[in-house]
Amino acid sequence: MTLSTRLTTRRTTRPAARGLRAAAALTASLLVLTACGSDDSETASAGTDGESDFGALTLQLSWIKNAEFAGEFFADTNGYYEDAGFSSVKMNPGPGPVETLVATGEADFGLSNAVAAAQVISAEDAPLKIVGTKFQKNPFTILSLKDGADIATPEDLIGKKIGVQAGGNETLFDALLEVNGIDPSKVKKVPVEYDPSPVVDGEVDGFLAYITNESLTVSMDGVEVTNLPFADNGLPFVAESVITTDQMIAEEPEKVKAFLEAEILGWQDALADDEEAARLAVEVYGKDLDLDMAKEVEQAKVQSELVVTEDVEQNGLFTITDELIASTLATLDAAGIEIEGDELFDLSLLTELLEEKPELTELPD
């Protein structure tokens, strides 16, 4: 069983849902192109101030420019990318083929998740690695109404109608049933799109959603909701993870470390100021998207719980413990993706960076 579309759920008022693209999108010829490099690729050189100049930076976001990328917005606004040695920053919004764009060198770094990256690496031998992660806990959930089905445990799924999007989300939902020992025949899957209206209108009892998105949308409309987070119910995996190529790691390690430093500084700022995180999304970076300020503020608050865990408090932002790697691999196995830890993760440069600059492990009060 493999994932054929990139895992995610989003409202239909937004662009088409980001999906785990079919592995065929990353063709062998494109991989050869990546391995050979590009004649016009940026290389590190000495800047006028004596610091490294890594040239222009291209970052492929996983979604539209909302509060999900508050740390990146702060890093740009406060000059952390520039301080790290990048002459300019281009943040390309999603949805899009993040893994393909990074593997082919069209983006230096991308933000993806372990399931999406692993599927492409496993199926196509893509030259990619996760070098750090923002979300320690993935945001997938089964959303239900408190005064309705009130699905609070996996067992509550039995006998219920659950709205599940086709493709990758369906595979992930099947994995949720499997790891919790639930007979699939005892749960009725109902095909839905990415608008949570079916659960609000009572057409389904539960709805596969994002804690930081549809769940907030429904609750902020005055409806009390119940969430069944995948991360807390047998399917933990890292998300909003930084991916780059094996070639970048091997040939430009200082560039990777510079990027990670800017990211960490940006997220330190984002975690300290939810209001400004939302304002940057609504009024600056996503100003053409008609974002709702109240929802973006709430998203900034909720996602901080996915970013900061006890492990992060101990080890620092973007770190991934051996235990979380093992849990992620177990989730991938449940989803039918066969991959080893060293095929998906390379945290060596992040480790070096934090050893060289331990102040980066500090979190805002």
Side-chain angles (χ1 to χ4, degrees):
M1 184 164 52
T2 59
L3 299 180
S4 60
T5 57
R6 187 168 170 236
L7 294 169
T8 189
T9 62
R10 295 296 179 185
R11 293 177 357 203
T12 54
T13 53
R14 299 186 177 188
R18 40 180 168 169
L20 183 62
R21 292 149 310 285
L26 194 57
T27 63
S29 61
L30 290 178
L31 293 179
V32 171
L33 175 62
T34 302
C36 295
S38 173
D39 291 339
D40 60 358
S41 61
E42 298 287 351
T43 57
S45 62
T48 56
D49 58 359
E51 299 294 329
S52 295
D53 179 6
F54 300 110
L57 168 67
T58 300
L59 171 61
Q60 180 61 48
L61 306 180
S62 58
W63 194 240
I64 61 173
K65 293 182 178 181
N66 63 5
E68 187 170 325
F69 308 104
E72 285 71 34
F73 301 158
F74 272 102
D76 185 32
T77 298
N78 293 341
Y80 299 142
Y81 292 127
E82 182 179 359
D83 291 345
F86 296 100
S87 58
S88 63
V89 182
K90 181 179 182 182
M91 286 185 274
N92 292 327
V98 179
E99 293 78 24
T100 302
L101 292 169
V102 175
T104 57
E106 294 183 57
D108 299 299
F109 302 93
L111 299 176
S112 181
N113 67 65
V115 181
Q119 198 277 337
V120 178
I121 294 170
S122 176
E124 290 292 326
D125 197 25
L128 299 170
K129 292 290 188 299
I130 289 174
V131 296
T133 198
K134 293 191 302 187
F135 286 1
Q136 302 286 310
K137 298 175 67 175
N138 74 79
F140 287 93
T141 186
I142 297 299
L143 168 67
S144 62
L145 305 188
K146 187 72 173 178
D147 62 357
D150 192 26
I151 301 171
T153 71
E155 290 71 25
D156 293 337
L157 293 165
I158 297 174
K160 303 297 194 302
K161 294 186 295 183
I162 308 298
V164 181
Q165 302 79 10
N169 283 5
E170 185 174 5
T171 301
L172 188 59
F173 179 71
D174 291 344
L176 179 69
L177 299 181
E178 179 180 343
V179 299
N180 286 286
I182 297 174
D183 185 344
S185 67
K186 296 183 179 180
V187 182
K188 183 177 181 180
K189 288 188 292 186
V190 179
V192 294
E193 296 298 329
Y194 298 89
D195 186 331
S197 297
V199 70
V200 176
D201 297 338
E203 298 173 22
V204 296
D205 300 305
F207 183 89
L208 202 159
Y210 257 29
I211 289 176
T212 55
N213 213 314
E214 292 85 2
S215 181
L216 291 181
T217 300
V218 175
S219 64
M220 292 183 72
D221 283 339
V223 179
E224 193 171 1
V225 304
T226 299
N227 281 297
L228 180 68
F230 285 28
D232 297 332
N233 290 279
L235 289 182
F237 59 91
V238 296
E240 284 307 307
S241 304
V242 177
I243 62 171
T244 193
T245 63
D246 295 338
Q247 181 178 1
M248 179 79 75
I249 294 169
E251 298 181 5
E252 299 186 85
E254 294 305 314
K255 184 174 181 178
V256 177
K257 289 161 64 176
F259 176 73
L260 288 171
E261 179 176 359
E263 286 283 295
I264 291 170
L265 291 171
W267 275 96
Q268 286 176 341
D269 289 354
L271 293 168
D273 196 338
D274 297 330
E275 297 284 343
E276 180 63 7
R279 189 195 69 80
L280 287 173
V282 174
E283 298 182 3
V284 184
Y285 293 89
K287 62 182 178 182
D288 298 327
L289 300 176
D290 193 28
L291 300 173
D292 179 75
M293 181 66 78
K295 188 266 178 184
E296 296 303 309
V297 170
E298 191 63 22
Q299 177 170 342
K301 293 178 180 178
V302 171
Q303 73 185 13
S304 67
E305 299 176 6
L306 307 179
V307 173
V308 179
T309 61
E310 290 183 4
D311 288 333
V312 166
E313 289 176 345
Q314 180 176 350
N315 303 315
L317 293 168
F318 284 74
T319 57
I320 310 173
T321 64
D322 291 342
E323 291 77 13
L324 184 52
I325 288 176
S327 297
T328 296
L329 293 176
T331 291
L332 296 174
D333 183 64
I337 302 172
E338 297 182 3
I339 193 169
E340 298 296 328
D342 59 2
E343 295 176 310
L344 179 59
F345 297 97
D346 186 340
L347 305 178
S348 60
L349 297 179
L350 176 61
T351 299
E352 284 184 17
L353 172 65
L354 297 182
E355 288 176 349
E356 294 166 0
K357 300 185 178 183
E359 66 273 13
L360 291 175
T361 62
E362 297 175 3
L363 296 178
D365 296 329

